[in-house]
Amino acid sequence: EDKVVQSPLSLVVHEGDTVTLNCSYEVTNFRSLLWYKQEKKAPTFLFMLTSSGIEKKSGRLSSILDKKELFSILNITATQTGDSAIYLCAGGDRDDKIIFGKGTRLHILP
Amino acid sequence: GAGVSQSPSNKVTEKGKDVELRCDPISGHTALYWYRQSLGQGLEFLIYFQGNSAPDKSGLPSDRFSAERTGGSVSTLTIQRTQQEDSAVYLCASSPRRGTGGYQAKNIQYFGAGTRLSVL
């Protein structure tokens, strides 16, 4: 059975800290690893990774995929209170079925 | 439409009643997904439609749950004889048509705001 496991489940840090969120996956016919940010309602897309070892970057956020070890990390540097959210990792297969992990609830203290 | 639209935004029902939740995907998107999210939890996969292919129903938790998609567009998720444990936010997402937007775009999902279901 396909699964996506995220850690930690929750994290509290101070503004300015750097955080690393982890995601491991077991997806048959894996094609892509996706990260989403969920604040109040709808998750919003952050990154999609398909190639191993290539970092995707957007501002203070970056992510990398290791297809050999079946995991990905999401880094957030110089965190701000606006980064507080649930960060969701998902694995997609070649049929476009997408399975989510339970998420990491990140809280940034001012 | 501009985005994925779900209705109603909130639904309160009594245990044992049937409910229908609606999802209007982004125009032209052929893939449509239903997920359930309990308080503080991640997204639990329910069902997935891709074009005219048979839907992947592997995530439906019981035979009280069913979904259909008419004309390859609007989808309805039906929960029969609701139970208190069905209380959750039900999220719908759609993805672009195969062959458009490049390989990378096909797996990106656009989510609706969800329907919050409360079963009393």
Side-chain angles (χ1 to χ4, degrees):
Chain A
E1 183 181 332
D2 292 348
K3 62 180 179 181
V4 175
V5 179
Q6 293 186 245
S7 65
L9 292 180
S10 67
L11 185 58
V12 181
V13 299
H14 285 94
E15 206 168 20
D17 288 350
T18 292
V19 297
T20 298
L21 310 183
N22 304 296
C23 175
S24 65
Y25 63 91
E26 294 177 24
V27 175
T28 305
N29 295 319
F30 172 83
R31 182 161 79 176
S32 61
L33 191 290
L34 303 103
W35 285 96
Y36 287 81
K37 179 182 181 181
Q38 185 179 29
E39 295 181 80
K40 290 191 176 175
K41 290 189 175 180
T44 53
F45 172 78
L46 293 175
F47 296 112
M48 183 168 77
L49 303 111
T50 56
S51 300
S52 203
I54 297 176
E55 184 183 55
K56 290 262 180 114
K57 197 170 173 65
S58 176
R60 296 176 294 102
L61 278 66
S62 64
S63 183
I64 197 161
L65 174 67
D66 185 328
K67 289 171 77 171
K68 183 179 177 184
E69 301 297 331
L70 306 182
F71 80 87
S72 174
I73 59 171
L74 176 68
N75 276 320
I76 309 175
T77 59
T79 51
Q80 302 171 358
T81 54
D83 296 328
S84 296
I86 298 174
Y87 289 83
L88 295 162
C89 175
D93 69 11
R94 292 176 191 165
D95 294 322
D96 300 329
K97 180 178 176 180
I98 297 174
I99 302 294
F100 281 81
K102 292 187 183 298
T104 293
R105 184 178 291 274
L106 177 64
H107 186 63
I108 311 297
L109 298 171
Chain B
V4 178
S5 176
Q6 290 188 246
S7 61
S9 55
N10 283 283
K11 177 72 177 178
V12 180
T13 190
E14 293 179 347
K15 178 181 172 180
K17 300 279 190 182
D18 298 351
V19 295
E20 285 190 350
L21 313 179
R22 177 186 167 104
C23 173
D24 267 295
I26 292 172
S27 179
H29 281 193
T30 59
L32 187 149
Y33 306 77
W34 283 100
Y35 295 90
R36 176 169 72 174
Q37 187 173 33
S38 300
L39 188 63
Q41 299 296 309
L43 274 63
E44 176 189 2
F45 170 80
L46 297 178
I47 188 169
Y48 160 53
F49 297 88
Q50 174 60 273
N52 295 321
S53 302
D56 183 333
K57 305 179 182 180
S58 60
L60 295 178
S62 77
D63 58 9
R64 296 186 295 105
F65 288 72
S66 63
E68 61 178 25
R69 190 178 183 192
T70 53
S73 182
V74 172
S75 177
T76 302
L77 177 69
T78 301
I79 309 173
Q80 296 178 309
R81 305 181 302 282
T82 51
Q83 304 293 312
Q84 288 182 331
E85 61 263 26
D86 299 334
S87 296
V89 175
Y90 289 81
L91 288 162
C92 175
S94 68
S95 286
R97 181 170 70 245
R98 281 176 179 269
T100 63
Y103 171 89
Q104 301 263 334
K106 284 185 282 187
N107 265 148
I108 297 174
Q109 296 170 304
Y110 299 83
F111 282 85
T115 293
R116 181 175 297 279
L117 175 66
S118 301
V119 182
L120 303 178

